[in-house]
Amino acid sequence: MSEARIFSAGCSELADLVRSFDWARTPLGPIADWPQSLVFAVSTLLQSPVPIVLLWGEDGIMIYNDAYSGFAGGRHPELLGSKVREGWPEVADFNDNVMRVGLAGGTLSYKDQQLTLHRYGRPEPVWMNLDYSPVLGEDGRPAGVIAIVVESTERVLAERRLRASEELFRTLAQGIPQLVWRAAIDGACIWPSPQWHAYTGQTDATSLGWGWLAAVHPDDEAVAAAAWRDAPVSGHLSFEHRLRNAAEDRFCWFQTRAAPVRDAQGRIVEWLGTSTDIDDLRQLQERQQVMVAELQHRTRNLLGVVRSIAKQTMAQTGPGETFRQRFNDRLSALSRVQGLLSRSDQEPITLRSLIETELAALDAPAMPARIRLHGPVVRLRKATVQTFALALHELATNALKYGALTTAQGRLSVTWRTYRADDGGGRLLVEWVEEGLVRGPELADAAPRGGYGRELIEHALPYALKATTSYELGATALHCSINIPLPEGEAAGNPT
């Protein structure tokens, strides 16, 4: 039989090689002497685009096609016409079993079979899908084995990398405090992290799809729906909402953000997102807003007080050195009050501390034997302190300049008590008593009969604190009483 009639020249690289190969050096002999079954099998595999190798005879003489030559790598073309055991010595035992089973009429099939091959002079792991079938000879018995060899190394390694990446992602997702999740393009949950389950109390069955909305506060569902509706268009997702804390049975604020996962064409295929607990931050922001509003309110009030002090002082003294001195003294008293107020959250303001602060500023502690303070522990409200402190400042200043503390025999007694009024409300009564006054003609007009201090006591305190006051100045004594409501929450203790 003519070789040209068996394998057409130029059909393929391997067809040319097979036709020109010196088969007389092999157990197969010249192509012209090949049996028809062998010629048919070789003709078939040479035309196939799938990697195929024919192992003919007891020794498994190798004949393969172009696709298999690519798989063989650096072993091609020496493999052509060689015995399979000698062509692939590193997997000789594996191929011995293939020949044994195939020549016995059996078939073999392997999925992602891993073998170590030396295709390029060095060992490398290779994964393959292998299918082996017997080829019958002229007598109807198996004369060889045909193998379809499809390498799957790239796919196997890609899948392993993907699994490793997914495992790394899950490890990372499970190790961070945020609630991590994956969602479809429309917001339907694909995968919730264990943190989501632990926080919301939901399971996969209840959170997948749109089940996660059951953990969202009903008032925030519309916000979540609107954010997801806009996300595919804008390409980003960010909104704040409340989620149910299953362990504490309450709703807490979260910030949800997600990044789109896109395919090769840039289309969004899913979302990867986190929900971060911002409940403490929201509460802090709310407290800051309250504090800023309170600060603004206090500032406006303080400016009003300063304006009033300046106006009243100017009305009494006119411009000049006396105005400067008295105005500075009153501003200093106001400054001391602000200092107490600034520490009031850590150190409550008591009536005793207010009186002692004012007396200390005027150097009254230098006369301890002539001053008596007595009363229970009474904590004052912030709204009470400022006006009350200014009144005490005026009383103390006048005691030191014109009153009981100007003479050796003078005495100052400040006492206070709390009691329950007829209407059931608590009251605080403060009595300021100066004794031993000596008032010469030169001081007749110095006492605050119509001054700023008396104005505070008789008009400002009743207006600002709903106080009842009296101011009685005699020739040798001064008796001032201030009676103010004691709201619930202002603690009273034992006399000190």
Side-chain angles (χ1 to χ4, degrees):
M1 183 180 295
S2 171
E3 296 178 7
R5 296 208 317 268
I6 297 175
F7 309 115
S8 301
C11 176
S12 66
E13 178 189 356
L14 261 298
D16 290 340
L17 288 175
V18 170
R19 186 175 56 82
S20 61
F21 191 81
D22 184 7
W23 293 103
R25 296 187 296 103
T26 72
L28 300 185
I31 291 178
D33 296 337
W34 285 5
Q36 188 62 37
S37 57
L38 176 56
V39 173
F40 179 77
V42 173
S43 298
T44 301
L45 71 87
L46 287 175
Q47 297 179 58
S48 176
V50 179
I52 299 177
V53 59
L54 176 63
L55 311 176
W56 192 262
E58 295 291 335
D59 294 324
I61 303 302
M62 301 179 68
I63 307 173
Y64 51 86
N65 61 7
D66 287 303
Y68 186 87
S69 69
F71 166 79
R75 289 284 178 85
H76 171 70
E78 282 74 17
L79 284 179
L80 186 65
S82 68
K83 299 176 182 179
V84 68
R85 166 176 271 274
E86 296 173 355
W88 297 104
E90 62 270 29
V91 289
D93 292 342
F94 181 85
N95 284 323
D96 285 347
N97 180 65
V98 167
M99 294 305 298
R100 184 168 51 252
V101 172
L103 293 178
T107 61
L108 293 169
S109 183
Y110 299 93
K111 176 71 173 176
D112 294 331
Q113 173 66 43
Q114 181 182 0
L115 295 173
T116 300
L117 303 180
H118 296 191
R119 296 186 293 182
Y120 300 96
R122 64 183 184 278
E124 61 172 323
V126 179
W127 286 264
M128 297 162 286
N129 293 330
L130 303 170
D131 292 284
Y132 299 96
S133 301
V135 179
L136 302 182
E138 302 299 308
D139 57 2
R141 291 182 296 178
V145 178
I146 195 164
I148 300 175
V149 182
V150 179
E151 185 175 358
S152 58
T153 301
E154 186 175 343
R155 177 181 56 79
V156 169
L157 293 179
E159 289 177 350
R160 290 190 174 186
R161 287 192 296 269
L162 179 60
R163 286 195 295 271
S165 177
E166 289 179 345
E167 186 62 30
L168 179 62
F169 164 75
R170 290 179 184 272
T171 300
L172 176 63
Q174 294 172 12
I176 61 178
Q178 286 89 348
L179 313 184
V180 187
W181 44 266
R182 293 168 55 200
I185 187 173
D186 61 352
C189 182
I190 298 174
W191 174 82
S193 68
Q195 296 96 310
W196 177 276
H197 296 321
Y199 190 87
T200 65
Q202 289 189 319
T203 63
D204 273 344
T206 57
S207 59
L208 291 177
W210 289 97
W212 63 272
L213 274 175
V216 177
H217 193 286
D219 293 346
D220 299 333
E221 289 185 14
V223 174
W228 276 110
R229 187 167 54 251
D230 296 338
V233 179
S234 64
H236 69 273
L237 178 79
S238 179
F239 63 98
E240 294 183 2
H241 59 100
R242 285 161 289 182
L243 284 176
R244 181 177 177 272
N245 184 327
E248 300 179 9
D249 193 24
R250 67 186 183 96
F251 284 92
C252 297
W253 280 99
F254 276 75
Q255 182 178 67
T256 286
R257 290 179 174 174
V261 179
R262 301 178 184 272
D263 61 14
Q265 288 72 43
R267 295 171 298 192
I268 299 175
V269 294
E270 66 174 75
W271 295 85
L272 176 61
T274 59
S275 296
T276 304
D277 188 342
I278 58 168
D279 199 64
D280 290 344
L281 178 61
R282 288 279 297 226
Q283 292 184 24
L284 177 61
Q285 290 173 339
E286 291 173 0
R287 289 197 295 271
Q288 285 178 332
Q289 291 174 356
V290 172
M291 290 174 63
V292 169
E294 182 178 351
L295 178 60
Q296 292 174 338
H297 177 71
R298 286 189 185 181
T299 302
R300 288 192 297 268
N301 287 347
L302 188 59
L303 290 174
V305 172
V306 172
R307 186 182 299 111
S308 176
I309 290 175
K311 181 179 179 180
Q312 294 288 345
T313 306
M314 180 66 74
Q316 295 169 16
T317 65
E321 181 61 23
T322 303
F323 168 79
R324 186 193 65 79
Q325 181 179 353
R326 291 189 182 180
F327 184 65
N328 285 340
D329 288 345
R330 286 162 180 167
L331 285 185
S332 296
L334 194 59
S335 176
R336 290 190 290 274
V337 174
Q338 300 308 311
L340 292 174
L341 288 171
S342 67
R343 301 189 301 272
S344 60
D345 289 339
Q346 296 79 32
E347 183 181 340
I349 303 174
T350 65
L351 178 58
R352 171 177 282 272
S353 66
L354 192 63
I355 297 171
E356 288 178 341
T357 297
E358 197 53 48
L359 291 175
L362 300 175
D363 204 27
M367 300 171 281
R370 299 165 58 190
I371 300 175
R372 174 176 176 264
L373 305 180
H374 184 74
V377 176
V378 178
R379 297 185 180 92
L380 300 176
R381 290 182 305 162
K382 296 177 182 179
T384 304
V385 170
Q386 186 165 275
T387 306
F388 208 167
L390 290 175
L392 291 173
H393 168 76
E394 295 300 321
L395 287 168
T397 298
N398 283 293
L400 283 163
K401 290 184 176 181
Y402 316 114
L405 301 182
T406 60
T407 61
Q409 65 271 28
R411 298 289 184 272
L412 170 63
S413 173
V414 185
T415 60
W416 61 93
R417 64 184 178 89
T418 60
Y419 66 95
R420 187 69 59 181
D422 294 339
D423 60 4
R427 306 282 302 185
L428 169 66
L429 174 62
V430 180
E431 295 187 281
W432 181 287
V433 179
E434 297 179 36
E435 297 177 313
L437 276 65
V438 177
R439 298 178 56 78
E442 69 280 3
L443 296 178
D445 297 326
R449 295 182 178 276
Y452 178 65
R454 193 159 184 173
E455 179 75 15
L456 272 173
I457 294 168
E458 295 184 336
H459 298 285
L461 290 181
Y463 174 78
L465 306 181
K466 296 181 174 59
T468 302
T469 63
S470 67
Y471 191 96
E472 299 176 4
L473 177 62
T476 60
L478 167 67
H479 182 213
C480 176
S481 68
I482 303 172
N483 190 319
I484 64 173
L486 189 65
E488 295 296 329
E490 291 195 357
N494 296 324
T496 57

